[in-house]
């Protein structure tokens, strides 16, 4: 199976590049696509960079150029509710793009794209159920995704009020582009900074937490046929 991997930043990419798999690189425009074989799968990976715009561009490029129909994102996220710990692992069920709002001009809710039934962009249910069936200890979350790094408690509380538990800067774009291309999307997130934490905690934990998420990615790849 050909599987695309979307990785946001270099410090998260490190766990993939140092995994021990034989990796080749291909330049496509200004981007690098990484090719390898993992657990019997033809894996193509790309680093998107921070934010929804770069994540959308990278996801579309990877799907169009390589033809992958399964896309997995792994990386770190911040907790926006109390009780979550650094290195806690989650599968993303759905995501709210908190920066998106056309409710003043269209008959939709705040943050809702018209083609979805509510303000949440869904990820692939079949893939998620397959993983949970084999790894029942893994919990699911709803993500608030947008263009800002969230470290102020008042911002966390505002996003938590949307029904979200964690936040990131890429998965709304990745999930939406996958849906537009009829590609299945799965996202593995590991907590790097807690509700009480800030950008300093993120910088301290991002490499280690990304390695934890990458470890789960390997387990997931072994489940896919």
């Amino acid at each position: 199976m050909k599987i695309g991997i979307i990785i946001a930043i270099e410090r998260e990419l490190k766990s993939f590049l140092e995994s021990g798999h034989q990796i080749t690189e291909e330049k496509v425009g200004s981007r690098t696509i990484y090719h390898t074989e993992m657990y019997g799968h033809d894996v193509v990976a790309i680093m998107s960079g921070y934010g929804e715009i770069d994540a959308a561009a990278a996801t579309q490029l990877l799907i169009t150029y390589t033809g992958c129909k399964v896309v997995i994102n792994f990386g770190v996220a911040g907790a926006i509710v109390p009780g979550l710990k650094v290195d806690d692992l989650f599968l993303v069920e759905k995501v709210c793009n908190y920066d998106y709002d056309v409710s003043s001009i269209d008959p939709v809710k705040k943050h809702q794209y018209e083609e979805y039934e509510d303000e949440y962009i869904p990820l692939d249910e079949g893939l998620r159920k397959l993983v949970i069936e084999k790894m029942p200890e893994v919990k699911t979350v709803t993500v608030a995704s947008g263009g800002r790094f969230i470290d102020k408690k008042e911002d966390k509380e505002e996003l938590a009020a949307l029904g979200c538990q964690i936040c990131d800067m890429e998965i709304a774009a990745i999930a939406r582009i996958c849906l537009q291309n009829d590609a299945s999307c799965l996202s593995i997130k590991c907590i790097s900074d807690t509700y009480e934490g800030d950008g300093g905690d993120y910088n301290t934990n991002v490499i280690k937490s990304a390695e934890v998420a990458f470890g789960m990615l390997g387990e997931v790849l072994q489940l896919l046929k």
Side-chain angles (χ1 to χ4, degrees), residues 134-196:
K134 302 296 185 180
M135 304 169 66
E137 72 281 4
V138 178
K139 298 178 181 179
T140 61
V141 288
T142 301
V143 180
S145 192
R148 295 176 288 140
F149 184 88
I150 302 297
D151 60 356
K152 294 183 175 59
K153 283 192 176 179
E154 56 266 32
D155 292 333
K156 295 178 182 182
E157 291 168 359
E158 180 181 348
L159 297 182
L162 298 174
C164 302
Q165 298 83 46
I166 68 175
C167 63
D168 89 334
M169 298 176 66
E170 293 84 30
I171 190 56
I174 296 168
R176 180 161 167 75
I177 296 299
C178 284
L179 283 165
Q180 290 179 342
N181 287 272
D182 195 28
S184 300
C185 181
L186 185 78
S187 180
I188 300 164
K189 295 295 185 184
C190 184
I191 299 298
S192 59
D193 43 299
T194 64
Y195 173 77
E196 296 79 15

Side-chain angles (χ1 to χ4, degrees), residues 105-117:
I105 55 173
D106 286 338
V108 293
K109 299 176 184 178
K110 192 175 183 180
H111 315 305
Q112 181 183 3
Y113 293 87
E114 64 178 357
E115 61 264 49
Y116 308 134
E117 63 182 20

Side-chain angles (χ1 to χ4, degrees), residues 5-224:
I5 309 292
I6 310 287
I7 307 161
I9 63 168
E10 189 171 357
R11 284 177 287 177
E12 294 171 315
L13 179 67
K14 185 175 188 292
S15 58
F16 173 79
L17 295 180
E18 297 180 358
S19 62
H21 298 276
Q22 185 174 353
I23 297 171
T24 60
E25 300 182 9
E26 179 184 9
K27 292 292 289 186
V28 181
S30 63
R31 300 277 191 178
T32 300
I33 294 180
Y34 301 92
H35 298 261
T36 190
E37 183 176 325
M38 296 178 67
Y39 306 105
H41 299 291
D42 179 9
V43 171
V44 286
I46 194 168
M47 185 179 73
S48 68
Y50 283 124
E52 305 290 351
I53 294 174
D54 284 359
T59 304
Q60 186 63 66
L61 174 63
L62 195 67
I63 292 172
T64 301
Y65 187 76
T66 71
C68 61
K69 284 297 185 178
V70 174
V71 172
I72 303 177
N73 160 247
F74 81 89
V76 305
I80 54 176
V81 295
L84 304 184
K85 306 184 298 297
V86 171
D87 293 348
D88 280 352
L89 278 167
F90 298 95
L91 289 179
V92 178
E93 178 179 356
K94 55 188 178 180
V95 53
C96 176
N97 182 351
Y98 62 79
D99 283 329
Y100 184 79
D101 182 12
V102 294
S103 59
S104 63
I105 55 173
D106 286 338
V108 293
K109 299 176 184 178
K110 192 175 183 180
H111 315 305
Q112 181 183 3
Y113 293 87
E114 64 178 357
E115 61 264 49
Y116 308 134
E117 63 182 20
D118 54 30
E119 60 268 48
Y120 304 108
I121 303 168
L123 277 72
D124 189 86
E125 184 178 8
L127 276 180
R128 190 172 63 255
K129 283 186 174 180
L130 172 65
V131 175
I132 292 172
E133 180 182 344
K134 302 296 185 180
M135 304 169 66
E137 72 281 4
V138 178
K139 298 178 181 179
T140 61
V141 288
T142 301
V143 180
S145 192
R148 295 176 288 140
F149 184 88
I150 302 297
D151 60 356
K152 294 183 175 59
K153 283 192 176 179
E154 56 266 32
D155 292 333
K156 295 178 182 182
E157 291 168 359
E158 180 181 348
L159 297 182
L162 298 174
C164 302
Q165 298 83 46
I166 68 175
C167 63
D168 89 334
M169 298 176 66
E170 293 84 30
I171 190 56
I174 296 168
R176 180 161 167 75
I177 296 299
C178 284
L179 283 165
Q180 290 179 342
N181 287 272
D182 195 28
S184 300
C185 181
L186 185 78
S187 180
I188 300 164
K189 295 295 185 184
C190 184
I191 299 298
S192 59
D193 43 299
T194 64
Y195 173 77
E196 296 79 15
D198 56 21
D201 296 285
Y202 166 83
N203 283 323
T204 297
N205 298 318
V206 58
I207 292 177
K208 179 176 179 291
S209 295
E211 289 173 351
V212 173
F214 181 74
M216 182 177 170
L217 171 68
E219 296 180 56
V220 168
L221 291 177
Q222 293 176 71
L223 299 177
L224 300 179

